[in-house]
Each structure stands twice: as structure tokens, then as C-alpha cells.
Amino acid sequence: MFHVTVKDTYDEVSAEAFKVMKEVMYGDHTPVLGLATGSSPVGLYKEMIRDHNENGTSYKDILTFNLDEYIGLPRDHRESYWTFMHVNLFNHVDIPDENVHVPLGCGEDPEADCAAYEEELAKHTVDVQVLGIGSDGHIAFNEPGCPFDSVTHVMDLTEQTRQDNARFFDGDINQVPTKACTMGLASIMRAKKIILIATGANKADAVYGMMKGPKTVDCPASILQDHAEVYVFLDKEAASKL
Ligand code: GLP
């Protein structure tokens, strides 16, 4: 079930998304958070940092599980998702590093590392999973064609996704890794609630496919049509095809 909020600006979109996050953070138990990278959730993370600074909301006992990581980048690479999360959230709140989980993209055996990640993830219930959406309808790094029953796995990135993400790698697609370790679609669907943030005209087709298109692996995000509680935060451009 989708609950859709459309706002004019990215800041308003982020503030609305934070309302759902805040309910979870202020709920009756210390939550497990599923987190995402990309530009879409950065405003939400700013709201979370502000709330930590102004209201003292603590992350001391919070566990986080990130969706995905590039294969082949060391953790301290400037564009690894490990680095992204530290720069955009973890370094600014009081979360102990041992509570942070980001798939390992730089190990010897990525398949085994994915299996180990899934095993750890499956021990917990994610209270809220933050998601962006790729322009080809991917969520996390589950590209078109990825089976709906997938769990954490190695994924070959599409040309489109590598092109979209080249802006983080000096605009050079050749520097963008070709594979990633990603939570699967079935792993994501286990989260109790989902916050999905999308802004900009280049997301309009993917947002339409997710909500109004057929449920098909050609648009991985369309699996969310089967989820009980998905909060979708959009600007007018991303909502323009609905
Ligand atoms: C990457 C990430 C996704 C993210 C998507 C959209 O491919 N793996 O988790 O949702 O990009 O990114 P952005 O929010 O920067 O548009």
C-alpha cells in the first residue's frame, strides 16, 4: 500500500520523510534502520542529524543495515557507500561503528560476503527501510530482471546505472564499478515500513512504473506494490507521470 506525499522542493520532501522516520525513532523500542545511499536520502539524513543535535536523539543502541556497496572499492575510497554513510550521517551522530552494517564490497569472495550479510540481516527486523529509486526502476542495486525472491547477492550494474552514477566518479563511467553487493528484493520486502524518496523529472517514469505499471521484474520497484506500508515522498517533477 502506497502513501504518497508530493511537495514543491527537495527540502520539503526531506522534512516530510523525516516525519515517518521520527515516528519510528521515537517509537516504543529502539529501532533497526535500513539505510540507503545516493542523493535522494541526503536531506533526510540532515534532518536526522539536526534532530540528534537539537533534541539529543541518541543512536547509541540503534542498528543500521545499508542496502548495498560497490564491489572492488576499498571501504576508505571516497565513493564507497561505507564512506558515503559516514560523511552524510554516521560521523554526525553517536552511533558506535559496531552497530553499523554495510555490505563488504572489497573482500576476496563477494558471494560469500553477500551470504554472510544476509545471514546477519535475517537475525533482525528492519523497522524502516529508506530507499531511493534508479531511473531504470532499480531499488538498492537490484537491476531490471532481478528475481523478486532474491536475497543479498552480487549484481552486474547496467550501463544506465553506471552512467547515472558517473557524476560521482569525475563524470567518467569507466571509473564506476561494474558490480555491487546488494540486499535482494525479498530482503527489502521484509522491512516493516518503507520510506522511498524520489525527486526530479528523470525519476518520473520509474515512479510511474513502481506504482502504476505492471508488477514485473522489468521494473524491480514494482514489487513494492505488494508491501503493506510504503511511504513515497516526491517532488512535482518525479510525480508528473502519475
Ligand atoms: C544508486 C543506489 C540506489 C539509489 C539510486 C538512486 O544506484 N544503489 O540505492 O536509490 O542510485 O540514486 P540517487 O538518489 O542519487 O538518484
Side-chain angles (χ1 to χ4, degrees):
M1 168 95 160
F2 293 111
H3 306 265
V4 186
T5 304
V6 181
K7 289 282 164 188
D8 286 329
T9 67
Y10 177 66
D11 285 350
E12 287 170 313
V13 168
S14 303
E16 288 296 316
F18 178 64
K19 287 183 188 165
V20 173
M21 177 58 78
K22 193 170 174 181
E23 254 173 51
V24 174
M25 296 288 296
Y26 286 55
D28 57 2
H29 65 278
T30 308
V32 177
L33 304 182
L35 300 177
T37 53
S39 28
S40 304
V42 169
L44 168 64
Y45 297 156
K46 283 195 178 131
E47 291 288 325
M48 291 163 72
I49 294 164
R50 190 186 49 73
D51 173 59
H52 168 73
N53 289 334
E54 289 177 6
N55 305 319
T57 303
S58 176
Y59 288 71
K60 217 165 33 73
D61 298 319
I62 282 181
L63 296 184
T64 64
F65 285 88
N66 260 82
L67 289 170
D68 47 13
E69 179 60 282
Y70 289 116
I71 288 181
L73 298 188
R75 281 201 151 160
D76 62 2
H77 188 282
R78 71 180 164 91
E79 290 305 338
S80 77
Y81 285 169
W82 173 270
T83 298
F84 177 98
M85 287 309 301
H86 283 78
V87 168
N88 288 290
L89 181 63
F90 299 147
N91 289 349
H92 309 282
V93 296
D94 59 343
I95 190 162
D97 241 1
E98 62 266 26
N99 291 13
V100 165
H101 302 84
V102 179
L104 189 64
C106 56
E108 301 267 291
D109 184 348
E111 305 278 355
D113 292 335
C114 285
Y117 194 77
E118 181 66 26
E119 197 182 321
E120 190 57 32
L121 176 66
K123 290 182 193 159
H124 305 275
T125 301
V126 171
D127 290 285
V128 64
Q129 175 66 59
V130 178
L131 291 179
I133 185 168
S135 62
D136 62 0
H138 75 245
I139 48 176
F141 266 135
N142 294 290
E143 296 282 27
C146 184
F148 282 171
D149 62 358
S150 53
V151 294
T152 307
H153 63 110
V154 174
M155 188 85 229
D156 288 324
L157 303 182
T158 63
E159 177 90 8
Q160 168 83 61
T161 294
R162 294 178 63 235
Q163 194 64 59
D164 286 350
N165 289 356
R167 68 189 194 279
F168 299 115
F169 292 84
D170 309 320
D172 177 9
I173 189 172
N174 298 313
Q175 288 183 42
V176 184
T178 56
K179 288 176 190 291
C181 170
T182 180
M183 269 190 210
L185 294 167
S187 328
I188 292 169
M189 288 293 279
R190 294 197 303 260
K192 283 198 218 159
K193 289 182 205 247
I194 290 180
I195 293 175
L196 186 139
I197 301 169
T199 56
N202 69 322
K203 299 292 174 71
D205 286 329
V207 168
Y208 178 86
M210 167 178 79
M211 294 182 58
K212 300 274 163 84
K215 224 188 318 161
T216 161
V217 295
D218 297 339
C219 177
S222 65
I223 194 177
L224 298 174
Q225 292 173 19
D226 282 344
H227 194 283
E229 229 179 316
V230 186
Y231 297 88
V232 182
F233 299 94
L234 307 171
D235 66 1
K236 291 207 167 110
E237 287 75 23
S240 61
K241 302 237 163 123
L242 293 179

